[in-house]
Amino acid sequence: MKITIQRLNDDVHMKATNEDGVSLEMDGSDDIGGINSGFRPMQMLLAAAGGCSTIDIIGILKKKRQNPEDIKIEVTGERIKKGTYTEFSEIHMHYIFKGDLNPKQVEKAIDLSLGKYCSVTKTLEKTAKVTSSYEIVNES
């Protein structure tokens, strides 16, 4: 796995590109020269955790013949100061499913993702407590 990061301005606005040529932009906060033109690196960690887990959950639910019409996830993180840096101490993932789904199957898919399959949350749980909740919305 390789990511190439290119600086885009005279401060901290950057573009990260993967081996497939797909890119995303990163930036820092205003106080270090950021211009709010991309994700901050710590935001990317939360996005990665949500994305990784959601990919797992979709695959698990499909195998169980549970096909959500939509999935949205809200990921929040609490940070603590550790000397010269901060790290996540708590991460909460709230999944919002739309469709006619079996709650037990949804709960099992979330548990399997966070407990066994999601590489990102398994990495982050070394410093952060990762919790989850969910709701199923059945809109007509």
Side-chain angles (χ1 to χ4, degrees):
M1 186 180 303
K2 179 180 177 182
I3 304 293
T4 303
I5 299 173
Q6 177 68 47
R7 189 174 174 200
L8 298 176
N9 68 3
D10 290 339
D11 284 311
V12 297
H13 184 205
M14 300 167 281
K15 178 170 78 172
T17 306
N18 69 14
E19 294 167 301
D20 298 319
V22 178
S23 62
L24 59 82
E25 292 187 22
M26 296 184 290
D27 206 349
S29 61
D30 294 343
D31 60 328
I32 62 167
I35 56 173
N36 291 318
S37 290
F39 272 72
R40 294 185 181 142
M42 292 297 277
Q43 292 171 332
M44 288 177 47
L45 281 174
L46 294 181
C52 179
S53 179
T54 302
I55 289 169
D56 291 340
I57 290 167
I58 290 169
I60 293 165
L61 288 175
K62 281 184 176 182
K63 287 179 184 174
K64 304 276 188 189
R65 294 188 172 25
Q66 297 286 302
N67 295 310
E69 293 173 37
D70 196 15
I71 299 174
K72 177 179 168 181
I73 180 170
E74 298 169 347
V75 186
T76 56
E78 297 293 324
R79 293 164 63 176
I80 58 171
K81 185 94 169 140
K82 292 278 193 155
T84 58
Y85 65 95
T86 61
E87 66 184 30
F88 286 113
S89 59
E90 294 181 32
I91 296 170
H92 184 75
M93 305 175 79
H94 181 71
Y95 303 88
I96 303 164
F97 296 87
K98 182 179 177 186
D100 184 23
L101 301 167
N102 180 323
K104 288 183 181 180
Q105 296 293 341
V106 168
E107 194 168 323
K108 181 155 178 86
I110 292 168
D111 290 345
L112 282 169
S113 174
L114 297 181
K116 187 173 182 182
Y117 295 118
C118 179
S119 300
V120 178
T121 58
K122 295 308 284 177
T123 300
L124 291 172
E125 74 182 10
K126 292 180 173 106
T127 61
K129 178 181 179 186
V130 179
T131 58
S132 66
S133 59
Y134 73 92
E135 60 186 280
I136 299 172
V137 179
N138 289 311
E139 297 174 354
S140 298

